[in-house]
Amino acid sequence: MPKQKVHNKFVCQNCLHHLAVNSRVKIIDFLQHNGPQAVSSIVDHLKLRQPTVSYHLQHMSATGLLLTKRVGKQKFYSLKDRCNKRGKDCLLAHLEF
């Protein structure tokens, strides 16, 4: 689906600060193109240490950017398309990395 222009009146820009951290941009890009992923898949793809990836995932989950689903001992992460704080579409869901 091609990304479209969005007007800031309709989207939440709350999560833009995540773009200031290169590792988080890589995580967002990976999840955007590959759907829900386990921590181990993200670590393998990004070639970062597991504690580093877990730290960023926890922070992005706490701010409402990611959905988390536990399956057994694994956690799967995916991007949310709506901001749980403002109830608007997330701007990051409309950006292509």
Side-chain angles (χ1 to χ4, degrees):
M1 181 170 129
K3 298 297 176 180
Q4 56 190 359
K5 283 188 176 182
V6 291
H7 190 276
N8 65 1
K9 177 175 145 180
F10 302 108
V11 297
C12 177
Q13 301 168 11
N14 184 52
C15 298
L16 284 180
H17 64 278
H18 292 293
L19 298 178
V21 181
N22 190 43
S23 297
R24 292 181 188 167
V25 172
K26 289 178 181 179
I27 291 170
I28 292 167
D29 179 57
F30 181 63
L31 293 176
Q32 189 177 56
H33 289 96
N34 297 286
Q37 296 291 318
V39 176
S40 59
S41 296
I42 298 169
V43 168
D44 291 344
H45 177 77
L46 299 181
K47 306 294 187 221
L48 294 171
R49 295 178 56 234
Q50 186 272 329
T52 301
V53 171
S54 290
Y55 169 79
H56 291 306
L57 290 170
Q58 287 174 356
H59 183 74
M60 291 190 296
S61 292
T63 58
L65 181 62
L66 300 177
L67 290 171
T68 306
K69 180 179 179 181
R70 183 174 289 282
V71 177
K73 292 184 178 184
Q74 288 189 314
K75 276 189 177 180
F76 286 79
Y77 291 87
S78 59
L79 291 174
K80 289 180 87 175
D81 55 358
R82 297 207 40 97
C83 179
N84 62 340
K85 294 182 181 184
R86 297 197 171 105
K88 296 180 178 182
D89 284 349
C90 179
L91 181 62
L92 296 179
H94 297 278
L95 298 177
E96 185 72 36
F97 295 96

